[in-house]
Amino acid sequence: MTTSPPPTVSPDQVWWSAPADQREGRPLLVLLHGHGMDEQMGAGVRDRLPPELVLASIRGPLRVRSGYGWFPLDASLRLEQVDEAAHRVVRWVAAQTRHPSVGVLGFSQGSSIGLQAMRLDPDLFAYGVVLSGFAAPLPVAGDAELRRRLPPVFSGRGDADPLVPAPLVALTDQWLADHTTLTRRVYRGLGHDVSPAEIEDLTAFLRAQLPGG
């Protein structure tokens, strides 16, 4: 029997790219990993993203095999669980008050949580990144405000990704086009992964979001 995850993000669930005395005043990028991964995703990409950013990689609340997840991928899934996980992220990010801007980057399942967090609190995030990801299919209260603001979002995926169903890809692409200022890239031959070319495009997008970018 799966126990209920804690209602908030605890300090031991967060990997930081910089010690506490080197974070204040720097733009923050929140990383949300995919199903079966963990917060060490941050350590894996730290040297590939702009050094001006402080990265905070959050571990999902559900234990999954050798890693963690944000919500189950079986018959026990309820769409409310996406909201519950996104609310945890929103509450944690809202407490990070020492940064001039905050972006959110999600890979796979983590991207659905990142987008949901933006939809729950459109004031909180300056931009978003969706890698091999998808949006939850039901409307959210903040959608109208996002449509008005059109925050920058980078979306990258491979055309050989077998894990995200085509109808969900189409729904996500349409939602992003309607609610964000979208930079969309599709990489030929790439599966459910991130390629060097995608990292290069992502880095250019992130640099454009930095103060003065």
Side-chain angles (χ1 to χ4, degrees), residues 2 72-78 81:
T2 302
L73 294 179
D74 56 27
S76 68
L77 170 63
R78 296 176 292 106
Q81 292 168 304

Side-chain angles (χ1 to χ4, degrees), residues 23 25-29 52-55 99-102 127 210-211:
R23 300 172 195 165
R26 295 170 62 186
L28 174 64
L29 179 60
E52 298 91 334
L53 291 167
V54 173
L55 308 183
H99 307 279
S101 67
V102 181
Y127 62 91
L210 294 172

Side-chain angles (χ1 to χ4, degrees), residues 52-110:
E52 298 91 334
L53 291 167
V54 173
L55 308 183
S57 186
I58 301 177
R59 184 199 313 156
L62 301 180
R63 185 74 186 182
V64 180
R65 301 186 303 276
S66 60
Y68 295 83
W70 299 96
F71 51 84
L73 294 179
D74 56 27
S76 68
L77 170 63
R78 296 176 292 106
L79 288 178
E80 292 86 351
Q81 292 168 304
V82 178
D83 266 356
E84 291 165 5
H87 274 298
R88 289 188 188 90
V89 171
V90 165
R91 284 193 292 271
W92 184 86
V93 173
Q96 312 307 310
T97 59
R98 301 185 298 165
H99 307 279
S101 67
V102 181
V104 60
L105 179 158
F107 173 73
S108 190
Q109 188 186 73

Side-chain angles (χ1 to χ4, degrees), residues 118-122 139-148 175 179:
M118 293 182 71
R119 300 167 77 179
L120 291 170
D121 194 340
V140 180
D143 285 356
E145 180 62 15
L146 286 178
R147 188 189 289 265
R148 186 185 72 81
W175 187 91
H179 296 84

Side-chain angles (χ1 to χ4, degrees), residues 132-154:
S132 302
F134 53 94
L138 295 181
V140 180
D143 285 356
E145 180 62 15
L146 286 178
R147 188 189 289 265
R148 186 185 72 81
R149 296 188 180 207
L150 298 177
V153 168
F154 177 90

